[in-house]
Amino acid sequence: MLRFLDAGESHGKALVAILDGIPSNFIVDIDYINNELKRRQVGYGRGERMKIEEDRVEIISGLRGNKTTGNPITMLIYNKDYEKWKDIINREPEEEEKITIPRPGHGDLVGYFKYGSGDIRDSIERTSARETAIRTAVGALCKAMLLEIGIDIRSKVHSIGNNHDEVADIFDNEVYEEINKSLVRCYSKEAEENFKKIIDICKEEGETIGGSIQLSIKGVPMGIGSYSQWDRKLDGILSYGIMSLQGVKAIEFGNGLDLSLKGSTFNDEILYKEGKFVRPTNNCGGIEAGVSNGENIDIKVFIKPIPSIKKSIRTVDLKTKEEKSTRYERSDVSAVVPASIVLENLVAFYILREMLLKFPSDQFMDFKRAVEIFDGRDN
């Protein structure tokens, strides 16, 4: 079973993860992982923190040379901002230093009451989206392995606020190159200008803005996941992972939210061409009854506005119970662009885990061969 745990705080010394279950003899490209971390850090609407951190992963176990050994893989990302915060992080806070004014929409209030530390700082440090750096590193290793067996995961920004980008084939390499050149990761130049404009307006107003992301997974063979038990359904598993990402509030598979479609038009017709079952449409998003059907797994992910805002809204001091204006912590104006990169790598972990459940192997070449044999069989 592929699994991982991560730990670390936003301003702590480092973020760390232990990834267990990766087959042996897979060649790990550290530069590929670091490039995914770099992709996560850039984008229009990013805050000052990204000017401080230059994330690079260090792998301290599970490799010999650049090959996996089959042992647990330990990853580290050091926080450069730790030097400025270590005095605060490494001691008990004085009473007057404790944060007791929660930001609505964040984990401040619920964390304060759940763990009873008397200081919101403890919740802030762990609920921060800084944690997504180490999850991106874990996912990037998984994503690289998936590419080796013919599974590609790509994304683009679909909307910022009420402004939408046009539909584009993100598996067309020329199209995807243009998307990756864009600071807001969209295809249409008109949409790019609209996205930048609304982010600029929000920054001036002390606001933040959400949006949506088009996420697509190509190459997953038919038969991954299961309907035999409720907790084995592939769309359920992916939903669980995606919804665990900070800021995600809703997801859609295929055209599941298009209420104009009737049964005869929503259900994807089944054809047989050139030795394969194919679909002329993909309204279901590549998954039927919790099982992949061989089409692209298409998901739209909706990201809420970041809760750390400069604009004043009401909250309460948890100590005095007096009404206060919300407090502000340094943050981005929009998290949609970096979230698209995090999501690519986040879902890679779950897809690889399901592939390894289908084709359990201790060595990477055995895993790759099993997938190739399965893909080459007669339908």
Side-chain angles (χ1 to χ4, degrees):
M1 167 74 80
L2 187 67
R3 56 185 179 168
F4 81 93
L5 283 176
D6 72 77
E9 285 78 39
S10 179
H11 297 96
K13 190 170 185 179
L15 301 168
V16 61
I18 298 177
L19 175 61
D20 186 36
I22 291 289
S24 65
N25 296 317
F26 175 70
I27 298 173
V28 175
D29 184 349
I30 297 293
D31 290 338
Y32 178 84
I33 298 174
N34 286 331
N35 186 61
E36 291 299 293
L37 291 172
K38 184 178 180 180
R39 292 177 72 216
R40 172 192 165 275
Q41 288 190 281
V42 298
Y44 208 75
R46 290 296 252 158
E48 294 297 314
R49 180 74 185 261
M50 293 305 103
K51 296 177 182 178
I52 298 168
E53 304 291 354
E54 293 179 4
D55 291 336
R56 297 187 68 81
V57 69
E58 181 179 339
I59 298 181
I60 62 172
S61 76
L63 297 187
R64 187 165 188 180
N66 61 353
K67 284 186 179 180
T68 57
T69 61
N71 298 332
I73 296 170
T74 305
M75 295 180 167
L76 281 171
I77 298 175
Y78 289 100
N79 291 327
K80 286 189 176 181
D81 219 17
Y82 171 70
E83 289 302 315
K84 295 180 181 178
W85 284 77
K86 62 183 179 182
D87 178 59
I88 298 170
I89 296 297
N90 293 331
R91 63 172 171 80
E92 286 287 327
E94 301 292 337
E95 196 61 33
E96 63 272 13
E97 293 177 316
K98 291 182 178 180
I99 300 170
T100 57
I101 300 176
R103 297 161 297 172
H106 221 292
D108 297 358
L109 177 66
V110 293
Y112 181 92
F113 278 96
K114 180 173 177 63
Y115 292 107
S117 68
D119 185 4
I120 289 172
R121 169 58 55 194
D122 296 334
S123 301
I124 293 170
E125 287 298 312
R126 185 58 183 165
T127 57
S128 167
R130 176 72 188 144
E131 182 259 355
T132 64
I134 196 66
R135 274 206 278 180
T136 298
V138 168
L141 194 154
C142 298
K143 189 178 171 190
M145 185 173 285
L146 289 173
L147 280 169
E148 285 288 316
I149 61 169
I151 296 175
D152 194 3
I153 303 171
R154 297 185 180 185
S155 70
K156 67 182 281 292
V157 172
H158 177 70
S159 67
I160 298 288
N162 287 325
N163 294 277
H164 292 78
D165 187 23
E166 63 187 66
V167 175
D169 181 6
I170 57 178
F171 291 106
D172 180 317
N173 289 333
E174 290 184 7
V175 169
Y176 202 55
E177 187 177 344
E178 291 300 312
I179 290 168
N180 284 321
K181 284 179 183 176
S182 168
L183 289 175
V184 286
R185 303 204 67 244
C186 70
Y187 183 62
S188 162
K189 297 302 178 186
E190 181 182 355
E192 181 173 31
E193 291 308 309
N194 289 336
F195 288 177
K196 288 180 179 179
K197 188 175 181 179
I198 193 169
I199 289 170
D200 289 341
I201 290 170
C202 287
K203 186 174 183 180
E204 290 174 9
E205 295 177 344
E207 284 279 15
T208 59
I209 191 75
S212 61
I213 294 159
Q214 176 189 340
L215 181 66
S216 192
I217 309 165
K218 182 179 182 179
V220 177
M222 190 187 298
I224 304 303
S226 176
Y227 52 73
S228 65
Q229 284 291 349
W230 61 270
D231 60 346
R232 292 284 293 111
K233 294 188 175 186
L234 183 59
D235 43 1
I237 290 164
L238 290 172
S239 298
Y240 173 80
I242 292 168
M243 290 300 297
S244 75
L245 178 64
Q246 293 89 331
V248 175
K249 297 306 289 184
I251 56 177
E252 175 190 20
F253 284 86
N255 291 316
L257 295 180
D258 188 346
L259 301 181
S260 69
L261 295 173
K262 297 179 180 178
S264 59
T265 50
F266 180 83
N267 295 305
D268 305 305
E269 293 180 319
I270 303 170
L271 306 177
Y272 191 75
K273 292 183 178 180
E274 299 177 358
K276 287 189 175 182
F277 294 107
V278 296
R279 310 295 182 99
T281 58
N282 191 23
N283 292 316
C284 71
I287 299 175
E288 293 173 305
V291 181
S292 61
N293 67 8
E295 301 296 320
N296 292 352
I297 297 174
D298 292 330
I299 310 168
K300 194 175 290 175
V301 183
F302 298 85
I303 309 292
K304 71 174 183 176
I306 294 168
S308 291
I309 54 175
K310 290 182 180 179
K311 193 171 184 177
S312 177
I313 60 174
R314 291 181 298 174
T315 185
V316 173
D317 187 319
L318 301 178
K319 192 172 184 180
T320 67
K321 308 301 188 292
E322 295 175 339
E323 186 174 302
K324 296 284 185 179
S325 292
T326 186
R327 44 182 296 280
Y328 175 69
E329 290 249 343
R330 177 182 60 195
S331 74
D332 301 341
V333 178
S334 178
V336 180
V337 176
S340 67
I341 305 302
V342 177
L343 283 165
E344 289 180 19
N345 292 285
L346 185 153
V347 299
F349 168 80
Y350 291 96
I351 293 295
L352 180 60
R353 189 178 72 175
E354 291 304 302
M355 291 294 291
L356 284 168
L357 283 172
K358 178 74 173 178
F359 311 103
S361 308
D362 292 318
Q363 298 186 38
F364 174 69
M365 287 310 299
D366 291 342
F367 173 53
K368 187 175 181 180
R369 260 192 301 270
V371 174
E372 288 171 348
I373 291 168
F374 185 81
D375 270 347
R377 67 180 185 157
D378 291 336
N379 284 314

